[in-house]
Amino acid sequence: VSSLSFRRPAETDHARVVRLVHGWDGGRRLRRLAARSWFRHFTTTSWIVDEPDGRLVGFLIGYHAADDPEVAILHLIGVDQNRRRRGIGRQLVERFADEARAAGGRRLEAVAWPDDRAAVGFLTAVGFRPDAGPGSMRLYGTPAHPDFEGEGEDRVLLGRDL
Ligand SMILES: CC(C)(COP(=O)(O)OP(=O)(O)OC[C@H]1O[C@@H](n2cnc3c(N)ncnc32)[C@H](O)[C@@H]1OP(=O)(O)O)[C@@H](O)C(=O)NCCC(=O)NCCS
């Protein structure tokens, strides 16, 4: 893990990230979140992790909310299936959190599908908590917001104070 390098994404990383995400079982949903615009216009708040030989190991796409300077959004994070459970995802989130805090951020937010146990489990492990406020109900054992993105599109809204 110590030989990994963390750097900013470039537009040329988009195709590699799409290939990585496409290889995952759940890739169909996540793939839509990896649009090329993120690799053109949000590179200064996002991260790429490479192996020494340049192989893509992981990425984090994030941004600071335009309407609230205290909030930073973790849009999408992913780690190569063969490199998981080694702390790389956590390192990506902590880098994002450190920069958000330094920029005046006080809170991180993320959104997940209620049936995505890996995403909810990971985000909870790195300090996010699901919003159980008004409008939420338990779905797949997690407080979630039904129809949040339209009919049948339930989501878990997660937040972490910085
Ligand atoms: C979620 C993901 C980014 C985690 O990356 P990772 O590098 O394996 O994460 P870490 O090794 O830093 O894990 C940190 C902690 O998160 C928790 N965690 C990680 N993967 C988990 C899983 N599949 N299920 C439940 N908890 C999990 C564990 O508590 C872990 O600590 P541990 O290994 O000491 O038990 C990776 O599994 C992934 O790319 N998944 C597919 C894409 C995805 O679901 N992205 C999230 C959308 S926001």
Side-chain angles (χ1 to χ4, degrees):
V1 172
S2 57
S3 60
L4 298 175
S5 60
F6 289 73
R7 63 171 174 84
R8 297 302 183 192
E11 193 168 352
T12 48
D13 289 313
H14 172 252
R16 303 166 73 212
V17 167
V18 167
R19 260 200 306 281
L20 188 75
V21 174
H22 192 52
W24 303 336
D25 289 335
R28 275 167 317 191
R29 288 196 305 203
L30 295 177
R31 198 180 174 186
R32 283 186 283 132
L33 300 178
R36 187 158 176 152
S37 281
W38 295 107
F39 297 81
R40 302 185 68 202
H41 307 298
F42 294 83
T43 58
T44 55
T45 48
S46 298
W47 288 100
I48 292 279
V49 193
D50 294 317
E51 300 265 26
D53 65 5
R55 220 174 73 115
L56 182 76
V57 173
F59 66 91
L60 181 153
I61 301 171
Y63 60 98
H64 298 173
D67 293 343
D68 186 344
E70 297 193 343
V71 174
I73 315 296
L74 196 175
H75 174 71
L76 181 63
I77 182 171
V79 172
D80 186 320
Q81 281 174 309
N82 301 316
R83 297 287 184 280
R84 291 185 187 166
R85 302 307 281 256
R86 298 178 189 187
I88 297 169
R90 185 186 294 277
Q91 282 187 61
L92 281 166
V93 170
E94 292 313 321
R95 280 177 186 252
F96 182 63
D98 287 348
E99 287 192 336
R101 202 182 289 110
R106 301 189 55 157
R107 187 170 168 78
L108 302 185
E109 292 186 6
V111 174
W113 278 270
D115 63 350
D116 190 345
R117 290 184 191 286
V120 173
F122 168 73
L123 289 168
T124 304
V126 297
F128 286 78
R129 293 295 168 262
D131 174 51
S136 69
M137 63 185 284
R138 274 190 107 75
L139 297 172
Y140 296 90
T142 307
H145 291 257
D147 300 331
F148 185 76
E149 284 288 355
E151 208 178 325
E153 293 291 336
D154 312 330
R155 297 291 188 276
V156 183
L157 312 183
L158 299 111
R160 168 182 156 179
D161 291 332
L162 292 173

